[in-house]
């Protein structure tokens, strides 16, 4: 079946199978920043924005995304907020292998749009679905708190 | 692996129901988030996103939530933040992540009567009705005992009353499903409602304990009664014996919170 996705502001007609999930379609289209981890809705590395809201691309049918706007890391590359978030992560040593970073950055980006000055508790609640094997979360939390402090 | 032959996005619930009934192997889908975890074949996946079932509204003393509303929308609703001292937000936030809640729907969470469900346990202690397209409106506790296979959850209706509520759970880590959960509520006339879920069977009201609390104040005894009137089972998460032991503790914590 044919669907229309607006990916990073570009309208694309895509041929998909009704069984396919959005993650596989995005990777097939070379949006390789979108990672496949658990593929069961648990790890958050497949996070993309759908109509501005963070969603798990592994857990939403591609057909259900028909007509919606999808944003991946490639789509916010030139946004100063992207630079601010990734610099904060780099400065605090909060990314090691980097596999979780695209999903994490997109979720922090979405949090910034939704919550103006989040408390530590709100940050933790918002990011609970972004698992990281490497950092132990301490430097990530430090970096994200710093990002919001500077932003405020 | 989930195998879907065809996908359909109807413009009305009537159209969705007509396909659900007339096409063998047709199924309603929320986002597919939970369905995908099981291996199944679906001839027609019916997606309700264009049927006008995405809303949270307050009408007189009823809170109405559309069956295709993502949990995240419910969580962000100003109405839900206001009612029951905002306690429903706490329940919703116990359901995994922001990203999951932005896709998982009310229908996909209530209709399959999942045993570990946190939302069902909590909604049972509020006066909640389920509205099904074909089978009509019924209390949630009745819906949970009915064997309805093919229907569409159109709406949830929660009575907006002055009711204090508490939701308690036990899980190995936040990343896990509840091993056991319990909710308690009380209105101004001291009408208590108590539910226990994830036993691992789906939540049920503890009617004997609720009755006992009409004329008695002994919370310890009420918690024991509530725990005793339930059946428990073992699964990968916990044994029957463990669940039985922690049940009165969760109920007591809830009662203490609402009585304060
Ligand atoms: C990783 C993960 C963690 C989770 N953690 C928790 C947790 O901690 N606590 C908790 O309570 N829940 C948890 N859940 C379950 C979650 O709350 C939802 O129940 C589930 O994700 C439903 O998703 P969905 O709306 O996409 O439904 P789908 O997966 O699309 O559908 C699920 C079922 O519901 C049926 N259905 C969907 N909508 C309707 C409707 N309107 N009418 C009739 N039938 C319908 C479908 O036919 C299907 O059988 C978790 C789920 C996942 C994937
Ligand atoms: S790959 Fe989607 S949550 Fe892990
Ligand atoms: S930096 Fe390696 S998984 Fe997070």
């Amino acid at each position: 079946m044919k669907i229309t996705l607006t990916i990073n502001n570009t309208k694309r007609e895509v041929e998909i199978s009704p069984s396919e999930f959005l993650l596989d379609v995005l990777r097939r289209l070379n949006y390789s920043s979108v990672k496949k981890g658990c593929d069961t809705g648990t790890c958050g590395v497949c996070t993309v924005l759908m109509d501005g809201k963070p969603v798990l691309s592994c857990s939403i049918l591609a057909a259900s995304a028909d007509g919606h706007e999808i944003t991946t890391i490639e789509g916010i590359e030139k946004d100063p907020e992207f630079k601010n978030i990734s610099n904060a992560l780099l400065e605090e040593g909060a990314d090691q292998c980097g596999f979780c970073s695209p999903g994490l950055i997109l979720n922090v980006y979405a949090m910034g749009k939704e919550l103006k000055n989040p408390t530590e508790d709100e940050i933790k609640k918002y990011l609970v679905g972004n698992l990281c094997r490497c950092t132990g979360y301490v430097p990530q939390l430090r970096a994200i708190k710093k990002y919001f402090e500077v932003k405020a | 692996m989930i195998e879907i032959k065809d996908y359909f996005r109807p413009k009305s619930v009537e159209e969705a129901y007509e396909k659900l009934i007339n096409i063998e192997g047709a199924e309603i889908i929320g986002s597919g988030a939970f369905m995908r975890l099981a291996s199944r074949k679906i001839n027609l996946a019916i997606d309700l996103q264009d049927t006008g079932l995405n809303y949270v509204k307050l009408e007189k003393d009823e809170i109405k939530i559309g069956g295709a509303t993502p949990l995240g929308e419910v969580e962000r609703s100003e109405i839900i933040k206001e009612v029951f001292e905002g306690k429903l937000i706490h329940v919703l936030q116990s359901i995994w992540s922001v990203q999951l809640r932005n896709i998982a729907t009310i229908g996909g969470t209530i209709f399959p009567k999942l045993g570990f469900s946190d939302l069902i346990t909590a909604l049972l202690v509020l006066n909640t009705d389920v509205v099904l397209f074909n089978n009509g409106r019924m209390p949630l506790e009745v819906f949970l005992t009915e064997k309805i296979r093919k229907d569409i959850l159109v709406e949830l209706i929660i009575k907006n009353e002055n009711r204090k509520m508490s939701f308690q759970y036990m899980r190995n880590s936040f990343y896990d499903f509840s091993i056991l959960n319990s909710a308690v509520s009380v209105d101004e006339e001291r009408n208590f409602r108590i539910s226990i879920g994830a036993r691992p069977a789906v939540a049920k009201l503890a009617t004997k304990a609720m009755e006992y609390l009409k004329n008695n104040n002994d919370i310890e005894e009420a918690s024991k009664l509530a725990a005793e009137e339930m059946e428990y089972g073992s699964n990968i998460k916990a044994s029957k014996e463990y669940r039985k032991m922690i049940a009165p503790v969760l109920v007591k914590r809830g009662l203490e919170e609402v009585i304060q």
Side-chain angles (χ1 to χ4, degrees):
Chain A
M1 63 182 284
K2 208 168 236 157
I3 61 166
T4 307
L5 297 173
T6 304
I7 311 173
N8 302 331
N9 293 322
T10 306
K11 221 176 201 176
R12 295 188 68 156
E13 285 216 331
V14 192
E15 189 64 41
I16 61 153
S17 134
S19 305
E20 267 186 304
F21 281 79
L22 182 59
L23 168 63
D24 297 307
V25 172
L26 290 171
R27 287 192 62 83
R28 183 150 58 71
L29 297 173
N30 286 331
Y31 295 96
S32 53
S33 71
V34 192
K35 304 295 181 216
K36 185 183 261 199
C38 65
D39 210 15
T40 58
T42 315
C43 73
V45 300
C46 66
T47 300
V48 297
L49 306 183
M50 187 159 99
D51 304 329
K53 303 262 167 4
V55 298
L56 300 172
S57 63
C58 73
S59 296
I60 182 156
L61 280 174
S64 294
D66 186 14
H68 292 277
E69 288 195 16
I70 306 299
T71 309
T72 69
I73 277 287
E74 290 89 344
I76 60 165
E77 223 173 7
K78 296 199 172 72
D79 188 320
E81 293 308 324
F82 166 74
K83 294 249 160 33
N84 296 341
I85 301 167
S86 46
N87 282 343
L89 292 172
L90 280 173
E91 281 161 20
E92 294 300 327
D95 93 341
Q96 290 180 31
C97 77
F99 195 69
C100 66
S101 304
L104 177 70
I105 292 171
L106 279 170
N107 213 21
V108 174
Y109 181 84
M111 176 168 42
K113 303 256 175 226
E114 201 179 322
L115 309 172
K116 283 302 149 237
N117 204 356
T119 60
E120 182 171 327
D121 196 41
E122 283 173 324
I123 294 174
K124 282 183 181 166
K125 272 190 187 157
Y126 210 98
L127 300 178
V128 70
N130 291 87
L131 303 193
C132 172
R133 292 184 306 180
C134 309
T135 66
Y137 305 106
V138 176
Q140 286 189 342
L141 186 61
R142 207 167 50 222
I144 293 156
K145 272 167 71 180
K146 200 167 144 189
Y147 160 71
F148 279 110
E149 273 161 28
V150 173
K151 198 170 182 245
Chain B
M1 268 256 301
I2 184 169
E3 226 184 286
I4 300 173
K5 254 183 142 170
D6 225 336
Y7 169 90
F8 177 56
R9 203 186 280 185
K11 291 271 178 275
S12 69
V13 189
E14 290 75 12
E15 210 184 340
Y17 185 73
E18 194 265 321
K19 292 276 193 234
L20 179 67
I21 289 302
N22 293 318
I23 296 182
E24 212 188 311
E27 296 244 12
I28 302 291
I29 55 149
S31 66
F34 200 73
M35 274 179 142
R36 74 173 324 234
L37 303 180
S39 179
R40 62 206 277 191
K41 282 193 177 150
I42 296 172
N43 281 336
L44 183 69
I46 306 167
D47 184 337
L48 301 177
Q49 64 174 283
D50 286 346
T51 57
L53 296 183
N54 183 346
Y55 56 83
V56 181
K57 56 190 178 191
L58 188 59
E59 281 180 4
K60 293 192 187 125
D61 63 344
E62 293 182 332
I63 304 150
K64 298 185 169 176
I65 310 178
T69 314
L71 302 180
E73 300 268 318
V74 182
E75 183 187 342
R76 285 187 290 272
S77 150
E78 291 304 321
I79 296 167
I80 300 298
K81 281 181 194 157
E82 289 291 314
V83 297
F84 310 112
E85 302 171 306
K87 288 279 167 65
L88 271 175
I89 310 277
H90 163 65
V91 179
L92 289 161
Q93 289 182 343
S94 69
I95 300 176
W96 193 218
S97 64
V98 168
Q99 299 99 305
L100 176 76
R101 297 195 296 275
N102 277 338
I103 53 176
T105 61
I106 285 288
T109 303
I110 307 296
F111 194 84
K113 304 175 187 167
L114 299 170
F116 59 77
S117 174
D118 295 305
L119 194 57
I120 290 179
T121 305
L123 290 176
L124 263 183
V125 302
L126 305 176
N127 283 301
T128 305
D129 285 352
V130 166
V131 182
L132 300 174
F133 182 78
N134 185 42
N135 284 276
R137 180 172 175 169
M138 64 187 81
L140 175 60
E141 55 269 37
V142 174
F143 168 70
L144 293 175
T145 59
E146 295 279 319
K147 285 200 169 58
I148 298 169
R149 174 76 190 97
K150 291 248 168 190
D151 208 337
I152 298 175
L153 194 153
V154 174
E155 190 174 70
L156 282 184
I157 303 180
I158 307 168
K159 189 163 179 212
N160 184 22
E161 52 188 340
N162 208 353
R163 195 169 262 284
K164 281 186 123 185
M165 79 171 288
S166 167
F167 175 65
Q168 307 284 331
Y169 58 76
M170 174 72 95
R171 44 185 107 195
N172 281 330
S173 78
F174 193 80
Y175 305 108
D176 213 341
F177 295 128
S178 290
I179 286 173
L180 196 85
N181 56 31
S182 169
V184 164
S185 78
V186 64
D187 68 7
E188 285 163 322
E189 274 84 51
R190 278 185 64 89
N191 290 310
F192 283 86
R193 286 173 77 90
I194 302 171
S195 68
I196 306 179
R199 310 184 325 276
V202 72
K204 226 166 73 167
L205 286 173
T207 49
K208 286 185 192 147
M210 283 156 53
E211 196 56 40
Y212 171 84
L213 282 169
K214 280 190 175 153
N215 306 309
N216 297 281
N217 291 324
D218 189 340
I219 287 177
E220 190 97 33
E221 184 59 23
S223 311
K224 247 172 62 190
L225 276 176
E228 275 166 11
E229 64 182 286
M230 300 280 153
E231 330 73 49
Y232 303 86
S234 302
N235 67 358
I236 188 169
K237 302 257 171 261
S239 69
K240 179 177 168 173
E241 291 75 19
Y242 182 72
R243 288 191 160 100
K244 207 170 173 174
M245 280 183 81
I246 61 171
V249 182
L250 294 192
V251 175
K252 190 173 160 211
R253 282 181 193 165
L255 285 170
E256 280 171 350
E257 193 181 316
V258 298
I259 281 170
Q260 247 177 24

